Amino acid sequence: KNSKIHRFDTPTSGFDPDRIILKTEQILKKLDGKPFRVDVSLDGTEEVHNSIRKNKHSYKNAVTTIKELNKLKKKHDNFDTSIITTISKTNMHEVETMAALVDDLLPTGEWMINIARPATVDGCTASDNELLAYKKANTILEGNIKNGFHQGDKGHKFGKFLTAKNQVRREY
C-alpha cells in the first residue's frame, strides 16, 4: 500500500483463462486503484500460434483470456490489457491477418510487436523478410494509433514517452 510503484504489468501466455481471471480480480482488489495491465502473447492464427507454443489449446486459451480480460476492463478504470506478438519466420506471413485479429479482439488497448532475435526458444533469428514483416506490422499499428484505435500505454504516467521510445525502436 505504501509502495513507490505507480503501475503494475504482467505478461501471460493465457494458458489457464479461469485462473488468470481469478488472480487478476484478486490483484485488482488489492491495488487500491493503481494502474494494472495484463499482456497476453498471441503469435499468429490458431494453427501457427499452436505450432509455436507446441500446444493444441494455446490459441483458444489465449483468445479466451483476452476476451475475459476485456470484460474486466469495463469494471475497472485502472485495468488494461494488451496483446504481444513476436514476429518470426514462423508467422511473418500473417502480419495483416494478425493486425485484423488484434483489432477484433482488442478494440482498445495496445498491440506490442516484437521481433525474434538469436537464441529464441523456437530457434528463430531475424531475417530481412522478418524485418520487412515487422516494419509492415509497425505501419499498421501506426495507422491504428493515428486513427484512435490503439491508445498506447494507458494508465502509465510516462506512456507518451514509452510510445515515443517504441516508435524510435521500430524505426530500426
Side-chain angles (χ1 to χ4, degrees), residues 75-139:
K75 297 178 186 176
H76 300 275
D77 289 338
N78 62 319
F79 180 67
D80 199 11
T81 189
S82 71
I83 294 175
I84 303 173
T85 300
T86 300
I87 304 291
S88 71
K89 67 181 177 184
T90 310
N91 65 2
M92 66 183 182
H93 62 284
E94 295 194 328
V95 168
E96 290 173 339
T97 304
M98 277 301 302
L101 180 61
V102 169
D103 288 346
D104 183 52
L105 290 173
L106 194 68
T108 62
E110 185 177 11
W111 181 29
M112 292 181 280
I113 307 162
N114 297 316
I115 189 163
R117 51 197 183 279
T120 59
V121 174
D122 64 357
C124 293
T125 58
S127 68
D128 288 343
N129 288 333
E130 289 164 294
L131 290 172
L132 290 173
Y134 180 75
K135 287 181 180 186
K136 181 186 245 182
N138 180 59
T139 300

